[in-house]
Amino acid sequence: MTDTSPFYVTTAINYPNGKPHIGHAYEGIAADVIARFRRSQGREVRFQTGVDVHGLKMVKTAREKGLEPSEFAAQMTPHFTELCERYRISYDRFISTSEDANHIAAQEIWKRMEASGDLYRDRYEGWYSVRDEAYYAEGELLDGEGGAKLSPQGTPVEWTVEESWFFRLSAYQERLLALYADHPEFIQPDSRRNEVIRFVEGGLNDLSISRTSFDWGVPVPDDPDHVMYVWIDALTNYLSGLGFPDDKDGLVEKFWPANVHLIGKDIVRFHAVYWPAFLLSAGIELPHQVHAHGFILNRGQKESKSLGNVTDPIALADRFGSDAIRYFLMRDVSFGQDGSISDEAIVTRANADLANSFGNLAQRTLSMIHKNLDGKLATEWEPAEADRELQALVQNACGEEMPEAFERFAFSHGLEAWMRAVFACNQYVDEQAPWTLKKTDPERMAAVLSQLFMCIRTLAIAIAPIVPDAAQKLLDQMGIEARNWRDIADQNWYAARAAGAPLGKPEGIFPRLELEATDAGR
């Protein structure tokens, strides 16, 4: 039975203390593919992303630029909305943690945690990474150059002494371990779940959750000298974006708990340890899953400003088109693992799969229908064995293998199945040779081209969550209104389409990409 329940997917909220990098684009694209896929299944989807503008890191960066944190956030946020627009990231809600609604929601969660007896005031002394906005125990630190201490992420840490509110995280160790044992799907992939389990089994210390050294954040209720630890109001966005706590529009009731928080592997602890503990304390139902993806590397090397190898995702889309980048990232990167990107790899993959294989299949099929059949499809024919085999293969790849893989976020596996169907169609063209049938058996030529038309429709619907612009353009050229994945199995559409308007002269959907001399080695 098809699941038609509402579906809520979120990205990790972006930290706009610099322009977006390729990792921001990757996460947004992956979440968008999930959202489009679920919508195509007929589910009502809520897709949320946004920016987290609070915290000491934002304060320091703003001061370096001679700006107030609010001014700096206002300057940087549009870069992230532009990224979403450029890559067709179809969010339903773009939220900023500075919104009044998020302040109200965070303060409500604070009050509930306090009412549970899980908050107390004390003095914090320990290591803090401004870049990570995270506290680290002595045993987690790495040795840097000159005796410097570094976080597990390799970022500088500083010894901090400050009066603080604390959350009794230590009281939730056993409840968290029970959560991981009873719901192994809560943290994915398995490698991340294992890391979290080892961390929690090692013992949890109470967590400092307020700061007094700056005021850029959400004020602590009834204690205005303190602002909340940035990760409290950052994580709260998943609820405040739905209208928590008032829920005037009924979105919390409809979409919470979230189906999946899509995050980077470097912030698993905040989402899989702190966030569920906060929610348990506040008496709020937990999200179903936290899924951590890997990093996007530049030619196998981690990107950094110091190395000068940071990829600008906007410039990348300007060079190659957003569909090509979306396809490459979902096809070549195994979700949950690190992946590598280069201009040569993008061009090679996009040309091989999209331009040469699927694009050429669609272009020559539609062109032959337009030229040799006056744009008209065959109204009926007796399928040959080759027709039935091709139809079954394409239906299975697009209607069974792809959705099963996408359910598991195994996008590369799903696209491998899709490409096998594309290859089968191209092989069918070569074997049936409609250009020869034009002279020897025109009726069979019409049947072959119409069979291909049916398969191309299926392939276009299936690939639409990955390359939405190109798929839309192709389906429009074909005069196909079907947009949902569930339409793949529908066989009743063909008669109406065959009786409809003739096909016009098609235009190429996937242009071949060229690697300019200036791109080589980028």
Side-chain angles (χ1 to χ4, degrees):
M1 184 175 179
T2 302
D3 185 358
T4 59
S5 62
F7 189 91
Y8 183 30
V9 56
T10 73
T11 68
I13 203 157
N14 299 306
Y15 212 53
N17 71 322
K19 290 185 178 181
H21 53 67
I22 191 64
H24 293 123
Y26 177 58
E27 185 171 296
I29 290 166
D32 182 65
V33 169
I34 293 168
R36 289 177 183 271
F37 167 60
R38 293 302 187 181
R39 291 188 195 113
S40 74
Q41 290 182 312
R43 299 180 71 170
E44 185 177 1
V45 172
R46 180 79 171 183
F47 172 22
Q48 181 170 303
T49 188
V51 288
D52 169 22
V53 301
H54 290 146
L56 182 57
K57 182 163 55 174
M58 287 289 289
V59 172
K60 288 190 171 184
T61 307
R63 286 174 181 167
E64 291 169 1
K65 297 181 178 297
L67 299 170
E68 291 297 316
S70 58
E71 295 175 315
F72 179 55
Q75 286 185 9
M76 300 309 297
T77 296
H79 294 296
F80 289 83
T81 54
E82 180 189 8
L83 178 76
C84 291
E85 180 179 351
R86 191 69 181 84
Y87 280 93
R88 303 298 187 262
I89 296 171
S90 58
Y91 59 80
D92 299 288
R93 176 77 158 92
F94 188 98
I95 191 170
S96 170
T97 55
S98 63
E99 294 179 20
D100 289 343
N102 196 62
H103 282 225
I104 292 169
Q107 289 175 332
E108 175 65 21
I109 287 179
W110 182 284
K111 292 175 184 177
R112 294 189 186 190
M113 293 192 298
E114 188 173 24
S116 295
D118 286 331
L119 305 187
Y120 63 93
R121 288 180 66 159
D122 203 342
R123 179 183 177 87
Y124 176 77
E125 294 188 24
W127 296 103
Y128 188 77
S129 167
V130 175
R131 191 177 302 176
D132 299 346
E133 294 286 10
Y135 302 94
Y136 294 105
E138 185 80 31
E140 296 181 90
L141 301 182
L142 306 174
D143 292 326
E145 295 183 3
K149 297 290 187 180
L150 302 176
S151 76
Q153 310 296 335
T155 59
V157 295
E158 56 188 41
W159 186 258
T160 301
V161 179
E162 196 170 5
E163 181 185 316
S164 177
W165 281 89
F166 282 77
F167 173 72
R168 298 185 194 276
L169 184 63
S170 59
Y172 286 87
Q173 179 173 345
E174 295 307 318
R175 292 181 68 178
L176 289 172
L177 290 174
L179 167 67
Y180 309 147
D182 295 341
H183 300 280
E185 76 286 353
F186 179 71
I187 307 172
Q188 289 294 312
D190 291 345
S191 58
R192 304 300 163 211
R193 183 177 73 250
N194 294 336
E195 290 174 5
V196 170
I197 290 173
R198 287 195 298 270
F199 171 74
V200 176
E201 286 177 339
L204 295 176
N205 297 318
D206 290 350
L207 182 67
S208 172
I209 57 168
S210 74
R211 305 297 299 271
T212 58
S213 56
F214 60 93
D215 61 3
W216 177 238
V218 178
V220 169
D222 303 319
D223 197 351
D225 291 336
H226 289 249
V227 295
M228 294 183 193
Y229 174 41
V230 63
W231 275 103
I232 291 183
D233 68 277
L235 293 163
T236 297
N237 90 90
Y238 302 132
L239 279 163
S240 62
L242 295 175
F244 176 87
D246 295 333
D247 197 25
K248 293 179 181 178
D249 297 323
L251 296 177
V252 177
E253 181 180 1
K254 177 180 288 187
F255 290 106
W256 191 263
N259 294 81
V260 60
H261 292 323
L262 199 64
I263 65 168
K265 66 179 183 179
D266 54 333
I267 56 173
V268 172
R269 182 183 303 182
F270 306 105
H271 286 80
V273 180
Y274 301 167
W275 181 226
F278 295 158
L279 292 174
L280 287 168
S281 176
I284 299 172
E285 195 171 356
L286 304 187
H288 293 309
Q289 187 175 91
V290 173
H291 202 113
H293 61 79
F295 293 144
I296 300 299
L297 309 176
N298 189 327
R299 300 178 183 278
Q301 188 175 38
K302 191 172 182 179
E303 296 193 342
S304 72
K305 293 180 181 178
S306 61
L307 294 175
N309 66 345
V310 177
T311 301
D312 179 349
I314 300 297
L316 200 66
D318 289 341
R319 280 204 303 281
F320 300 127
S322 61
D323 276 344
I325 309 303
R326 287 172 64 105
Y327 183 85
F328 172 83
L329 289 173
M330 296 299 100
R331 177 76 164 89
D332 277 39
V333 179
S334 295
F335 201 71
Q337 300 178 21
D338 291 349
S340 190
I341 192 170
S342 70
D343 292 342
E344 294 94 333
I346 293 168
V347 169
T348 298
R349 175 62 72 188
N351 284 345
D353 290 11
L354 299 181
N356 297 348
S357 296
F358 184 52
N360 185 51
L361 170 69
Q363 178 69 13
R364 63 175 174 169
T365 298
L366 300 185
S367 294
M368 283 189 284
I369 293 173
H370 171 72
K371 181 178 179 180
N372 299 327
L373 300 177
D374 296 325
K376 298 177 181 179
L377 299 170
T379 55
E380 60 181 26
W381 70 93
E382 183 63 31
E385 182 63 23
D387 303 346
R388 289 190 290 269
E389 288 179 355
L390 180 66
Q391 185 70 18
L393 188 152
V394 172
Q395 288 287 335
N396 182 68
C398 296
E400 299 292 337
E401 293 184 68
M402 278 188 79
E404 189 277 330
F406 279 29
E407 291 272 358
R408 299 181 288 109
F409 304 155
F411 306 113
S412 57
H413 292 168
L415 290 174
E416 286 174 8
W418 182 79
M419 276 306 303
R420 287 197 299 272
V422 172
F423 290 150
C425 288
N426 279 311
Q427 183 177 355
Y428 173 86
V429 174
D430 293 339
E431 291 174 350
Q432 298 298 315
W435 48 87
T436 300
L437 292 172
K438 178 182 178 181
K439 301 176 181 178
T440 61
D441 192 345
E443 290 187 4
R444 178 58 188 161
M445 177 195 69
V448 166
L449 294 177
S450 298
Q451 178 67 52
L452 286 167
F453 183 92
M454 296 173 68
C455 291
I456 291 168
R457 167 193 177 269
T458 299
L459 291 164
I461 294 173
I463 201 66
I466 305 290
V467 289
D469 285 354
Q472 178 82 43
K473 185 177 179 181
L474 176 56
L475 289 166
D476 286 346
Q477 287 191 33
M478 297 173 72
I480 301 295
E481 295 183 0
R483 295 293 183 269
N484 290 332
W485 206 305
R486 62 179 183 268
D487 292 334
I488 287 174
D490 177 22
Q491 299 300 311
N492 298 320
W493 64 275
Y494 182 80
R497 179 63 196 91
L503 293 178
K505 184 178 180 180
E507 299 178 3
I509 304 298
F510 297 104
R512 278 189 56 82
L513 303 182
E514 299 294 336
L515 188 66
E516 299 178 2
T518 54
D519 291 330
R522 190 191 304 272

